[in-house]
Amino acid sequence: MEFKDKLLDTYIAFEEELGPKDSIQKLRSQALKTFENHGFPSKKQEAWKYTSLNSLLQSDYLLFPKSEKAVELNQIKHAFLYEIDTYKVVFIDGVHSPFLSDTTHDGLDVCLLSAALSKPKYKKLIDTYFGSVADNHESMTALNTTYAREGAYIYIPPSVVAEKPIEIIHLSTGDQGAVWLQPRNLIVVDRNAQVQIVERHQSLKEHRVVTNCVTEIFAHQEALVDYYKIQNDLDSASLIDNTYIAQDKNSHVSVHTFSFGGKITRNNLNFYQNGEHINSTLKGITLLQEKQHVDHYTLVHHAQPNCESHQDYKGIFSDRSVGVFNGKILVDKIAQKTNAFQQNNNIILDDKAKVNTKPQLEIFADDVRCSHGCTIGQLNQEALFYLRSRGIPKKEAKALMTYAFANNVLESVQIPTLKKKINKLIANKLGVNLGFDL
Amino acid sequence: MLTIENLHAEIEEKGILNGIDLDVKAGEVHAIMGPNGSGKSTLSSVIAGNEDYEVTQGSVLFGGEDIHEMSPEERAHRGIFLSFQYPVEIPGVSVTNFIKTALNAQRKAAGEEDMPAAAMLKKIREKSSLLGIDSKFLSRSLNQGFSGGEKKRNEIFQMAMIEPKLAILDETDSGLDIDALKIVADGVNALKTPNNATIVITHYQRLLDYIIPDFVHVLYNGKIVKSGTKELAKELEAKGYDWIKKEVAG
């Protein structure tokens, strides 16, 4: 049986198991139909031209791994910002781990989507938000919606500033063979509220795992959201990340994506601006080796006047790694005075590495500032000689230049501990022991 | 210290150096002058190990060791320093970060531990004040947006930090006004010891009023065609290079 058929056939039993308390039953069955009609995306579709999921669909996956395995804290410490105090929502093989988590209902909600989907007191909220910004006509998102039942649920009430960052960590143990995980996160940041969130998917040992994750973020007026995605998984893990962000007037949302590992990673990142004076920031560092493949597919929809968006993605590619960047900026006719900036710069370190980069601007307003630039190049040889002539060995000189190339993406990271951690990850990836943040 | 014999070098199969002989001893200052395109910058690049140039004949010995096969960093570790004519801009790396990385790389190569942060800071303060560099400058990206004078001053600052055995100053005077020139020259002179040597590469005699050479060599068509004392530089300043060209042709 093909994996798609399995996904379709499993639904009846899944629906029965959830029972009548499920708040999103209708949405699920619609989504199932979408997935049934469209199936998995293929390279024939323009949006998936450079990324094939075929290699992932050859085998069978366990859809609902059993409940929590015991995991030693020491074994997973590296996946956390353990130096500072944070709220944590942690899942092991898709199942919530109360032992590793640090949730709260005190002044803000940092808890589980499963609770929000089944408890009556959340019903109004779920009806308002769940699935309302995610594109359910997109088949991977539809597939996630069909089976969505666990993930993080975060609600920040008006004018509340979350005093510590929130970590959403999905761990995969590999104890149950190949697994297909579909976490679903719902994040609502009310008027004038502020929050910082770090999301990470991490395998604990080499095994086949595909994560098809959907995150919906709602930023109300004057809200401030900083979201960080750390993608540094093992080479046996793949991730299809679908993030949808709806912004009201005067809100600021930034998403930083650090893609340093994994087999195939696809980041669908969608911003919808629904008010004036909105600021959206999309930044990323992609640093790949071996046969790793990362595809950034971004959309910023400017639907109201006087808004800004800033995109800055840096990519560094070694060995046979592949990078894709497709950045779409859509400016509606009414969205005058839009200021949209997009930049994608890439460095290729080996002949066999590959980058496909494509800006896509659709502008229907006539009074806008939209700029975009893509570059693909190599490390500047003259600069490399300059550094080496000062006694810095070739490998370190290359690392220093690579770091310098990507550095301005890190400048806007608001959590110092996270910045340090990313610095260290970059140094590790480049195989050097350099303290970059001097 | 540095012994160059019959050095030939080319870039993209075009011969630039056509048999250079030069002997530099500890404590000496040598000036290499010559018209544009005579090979002055090529000579400094070849000594520093720029891989764009291919040495086709001859040898370069440094401290008695043939450095032909050595990488630029290995040459730096042995004490060769090149002050670039056009220092490269490296956005994202601060002057301080760069010099710390360079200095610790040198120490590591010598089997020493990293310099303690406090000692590093003290040394940076000391050497930057010697060259009239303020602390804001040190946190800027390396050479990015620097004026010509700032770039050259930064080169000499690096030299002061690294304390090389042999410093090659490639057109360090170009782009400097007279005040900056004095500061740079004073810096170079302050770093002078009986154990190190300096090669000053320049088109004009001006810098040699401040950094007094023991020997002056004239490079033309990739060869040293005339050597003398500082008087030779004065003569070149007064008469230009044409008489040398004629002499070579005749």
Side-chain angles (χ1 to χ4, degrees):
Chain A
M1 184 165 62
E2 281 208 20
F3 185 54
K4 182 189 168 188
D5 297 327
K6 177 176 174 171
L7 285 164
L8 296 173
D9 293 353
T10 311
Y11 183 68
I12 299 168
F14 177 76
E15 195 178 31
E16 260 171 35
E17 192 194 325
L18 290 178
K21 275 197 287 181
D22 179 30
S23 329
I24 56 161
Q25 194 279 329
K26 224 166 136 187
L27 209 58
R28 289 184 200 281
S29 54
Q30 282 167 3
L32 181 71
K33 276 198 194 92
T34 301
F35 179 69
E36 186 174 11
N37 292 337
H38 296 311
F40 285 104
S42 82
K43 287 181 100 169
K44 283 181 195 138
Q45 288 159 256
E46 187 62 27
W48 289 82
K49 197 173 167 186
Y50 300 108
T51 298
S52 168
L53 299 179
N54 279 347
S55 66
L56 305 180
L57 302 175
Q58 304 300 326
S59 55
D60 191 25
Y61 295 89
L62 193 62
L63 277 178
F64 307 109
K66 301 277 164 2
S67 61
E68 189 197 337
K69 298 273 165 190
V71 171
E72 291 284 326
L73 192 59
N74 265 340
Q75 198 190 345
I76 50 148
K77 216 171 140 193
H78 68 278
F80 295 91
L81 296 173
Y82 54 85
E83 300 92 339
I84 54 170
D85 192 16
T86 58
Y87 295 115
K88 295 175 190 69
V89 199
V90 184
F91 305 92
I92 298 176
D93 296 328
V95 181
H96 173 236
S97 163
F99 172 62
L100 295 172
S101 296
D102 186 357
T103 57
T104 186
H105 292 289
D106 184 12
L108 67 167
D109 288 317
V110 179
C111 58
L112 301 178
L113 185 72
S114 56
L117 288 179
S118 58
K119 287 185 183 162
K121 71 167 179 174
Y122 294 108
K123 186 164 187 324
K124 201 174 152 218
L125 224 132
I126 293 294
D127 285 348
T128 309
Y129 294 105
F130 191 95
S132 73
V133 62
D135 179 4
N136 277 315
H137 300 293
E138 199 280 318
S139 62
M140 295 312 289
T141 298
L143 177 60
N144 177 287
T145 301
T146 306
Y147 287 109
R149 76 168 165 188
E150 195 54 289
Y153 168 71
I154 296 167
Y155 174 70
I156 317 288
S159 300
V160 168
V161 176
E163 81 273 26
K164 46 189 186 182
I166 300 169
E167 294 187 84
I168 305 172
I169 313 270
H170 295 275
L171 301 169
S172 173
T173 59
D175 293 344
Q176 298 173 69
V179 290
W180 185 281
L181 301 172
Q182 305 211 78
R184 177 85 173 210
N185 305 312
L186 177 61
I187 296 155
V188 180
V189 185
D190 221 322
R191 274 180 297 111
N192 197 33
Q194 296 183 20
V195 67
Q196 297 174 320
I197 299 170
V198 181
E199 177 194 344
R200 187 161 184 170
H201 303 266
Q202 190 64 47
S203 312
L204 301 182
K205 68 176 180 218
E206 289 275 338
H207 71 291
R208 292 180 74 89
V209 53
V210 178
T211 303
N212 177 39
C213 183
V214 172
T215 302
E216 291 181 283
I217 302 172
F218 297 86
H220 285 275
Q221 302 178 29
E222 277 93 33
L224 188 59
V225 181
D226 276 319
Y227 203 98
Y228 304 94
K229 292 173 183 286
I230 306 176
Q231 302 173 343
N232 187 35
D233 214 338
L234 304 180
D235 285 345
S236 53
S238 292
L239 173 66
I240 300 145
D241 186 62
N242 310 278
T243 300
Y244 298 91
I245 297 155
Q247 286 187 255
D248 283 347
K249 66 176 184 187
N250 298 319
S251 64
H252 284 235
V253 176
S254 74
V255 174
H256 288 71
T257 307
F258 299 102
S259 309
F260 300 152
K263 180 181 159 79
I264 295 172
T265 305
R266 163 78 174 213
N267 288 300
N268 295 315
L269 181 55
N270 306 277
F271 277 78
Y272 301 94
Q273 297 186 334
N274 303 320
E276 294 196 40
H277 305 289
I278 287 169
N279 197 312
S280 308
T281 301
L282 303 76
K283 291 192 176 190
I285 299 177
T286 307
L287 179 56
L288 300 186
Q289 289 155 333
E290 305 295 336
K291 287 165 81 176
Q292 294 166 343
H293 180 115
V294 170
D295 182 344
H296 292 291
Y297 198 90
T298 70
L299 164 72
V300 179
H301 187 166
H302 289 275
Q304 293 292 327
N306 299 309
C307 293
E308 290 182 28
S309 66
H310 300 270
Q311 294 188 60
D312 190 356
Y313 281 82
K314 307 281 189 220
I316 301 112
F317 302 90
S318 304
D319 304 321
R320 304 172 79 94
S321 61
V322 177
V324 183
F325 178 81
N326 188 106
K328 184 169 169 180
I329 297 173
L330 179 59
V331 183
D332 286 354
K333 199 167 177 188
I334 117 165
Q336 300 293 2
K337 306 280 181 196
T338 289
N339 190 355
F341 169 84
Q342 182 188 86
Q343 185 123 358
N344 173 234
N345 307 107
N346 301 286
I347 287 183
I348 290 193
L349 297 174
D350 290 295
D351 293 346
K352 298 254 165 65
K354 211 155 77 178
V355 173
N356 294 294
T357 175
K358 187 174 144 199
Q360 209 181 328
L361 274 62
E362 293 179 21
I363 301 168
F364 298 98
D366 52 18
D367 183 14
V368 300
R369 279 181 59 198
C370 290
S371 66
H372 66 91
C374 307
T375 59
I376 301 175
Q378 292 167 321
L379 285 181
N380 179 345
Q381 293 301 310
E382 215 188 327
L384 203 56
F385 172 61
Y386 185 66
L387 296 181
R388 294 174 74 191
S389 78
R390 298 297 181 255
I392 302 171
K394 193 173 182 178
K395 195 170 160 191
E396 275 77 12
K398 276 185 165 178
L400 198 61
M401 286 179 63
T402 305
Y403 179 79
F405 167 75
N407 186 34
N408 61 338
V409 170
L410 277 174
E411 274 168 10
S412 47
V413 173
Q414 302 294 327
I415 307 171
T417 313
L418 178 65
K419 200 188 270 188
K420 240 186 232 167
K421 197 181 179 82
I422 305 272
N423 272 336
K424 220 168 160 186
L425 285 175
I426 293 175
N428 280 345
K429 284 282 149 191
L430 298 171
V432 297
N433 183 19
L434 284 179
F436 290 122
D437 51 342
L438 292 164
Chain B
M1 178 181 286
L2 179 76
T3 310
I4 300 177
E5 277 175 7
N6 191 31
L7 182 68
H8 288 68
E10 59 182 39
I11 185 165
E12 286 158 4
E13 293 181 9
K14 191 172 162 245
I16 310 280
L17 301 182
N18 303 307
I20 302 260
D21 292 291
L22 184 68
D23 191 32
V24 179
K25 295 194 171 62
E28 292 177 349
V29 176
H30 288 244
I32 295 178
M33 303 183 71
N36 288 328
S38 58
K40 300 190 299 286
S41 283
T42 299
L43 178 62
S44 56
S45 291
V46 169
I47 298 171
N50 190 334
E51 287 154 0
D52 290 346
Y53 297 91
E54 200 191 335
V55 172
T56 51
Q57 258 191 75
S59 66
V60 181
L61 301 184
F62 185 72
E65 236 182 326
D66 189 336
I67 60 171
H68 180 66
E69 295 291 331
M70 288 183 195
S71 64
E73 56 269 33
E74 285 169 322
R75 296 174 195 221
H77 298 157
R78 278 164 179 76
I80 295 176
F81 178 90
L82 170 63
S83 167
F84 281 57
Q85 181 177 5
Y86 303 109
V88 186
E89 298 193 4
I90 306 183
V93 179
S94 71
V95 175
T96 310
N97 190 359
F98 171 62
I99 198 64
K100 280 182 188 172
T101 308
L103 217 58
N104 283 330
Q106 303 251 16
R107 291 173 70 98
K108 196 176 169 193
E112 295 166 27
E113 294 284 303
D114 277 6
M115 186 181 266
M120 181 73 81
L121 206 65
K122 187 167 169 266
K123 187 165 182 178
I124 289 174
R125 276 209 199 103
E126 204 179 289
K127 303 296 182 184
S128 57
S129 73
L130 174 73
L131 290 151
I133 291 173
D134 79 51
S135 56
K136 270 189 219 130
F137 178 88
L138 295 170
S139 57
R140 283 169 64 185
S141 276
L142 189 60
N143 293 321
Q144 196 185 23
F146 286 17
S147 68
E150 285 173 330
K151 281 184 182 169
K152 296 302 170 69
R153 216 183 282 193
N154 181 34
E155 292 293 284
I156 304 305
F157 166 66
Q158 292 171 35
M159 173 183 152
M161 289 295 293
I162 291 170
E163 300 172 280
K165 288 197 186 102
L166 173 68
I168 305 163
L169 312 181
D170 188 3
E171 304 277 4
T172 295
D173 49 336
S174 70
L176 292 189
D177 61 32
I178 196 73
D179 294 331
L181 187 74
K182 272 184 196 158
I183 293 171
V184 165
D186 287 348
V188 172
N189 290 330
L191 298 168
K192 199 81 213 68
T193 75
N195 302 318
N196 61 24
T198 311
I199 298 175
V200 182
I201 291 176
T202 181
H203 185 83
Y204 302 105
Q205 189 266 342
R206 185 171 80 137
L207 179 64
L208 304 180
D209 287 340
Y210 301 98
I211 303 171
I212 313 291
D214 300 301
F215 300 96
V216 174
H217 311 277
V218 181
L219 194 62
Y220 181 60
N221 281 344
K223 278 181 117 158
I224 288 174
V225 293
K226 207 169 185 65
S227 294
T229 59
K230 62 180 185 208
E231 307 310 321
L232 177 58
K234 294 241 161 61
E235 200 178 346
L236 285 168
E237 182 74 359
K239 301 206 299 200
Y241 286 105
D242 282 350
W243 64 279
I244 297 264
K245 291 180 189 172
K246 274 181 201 143
E247 222 178 81
V248 172

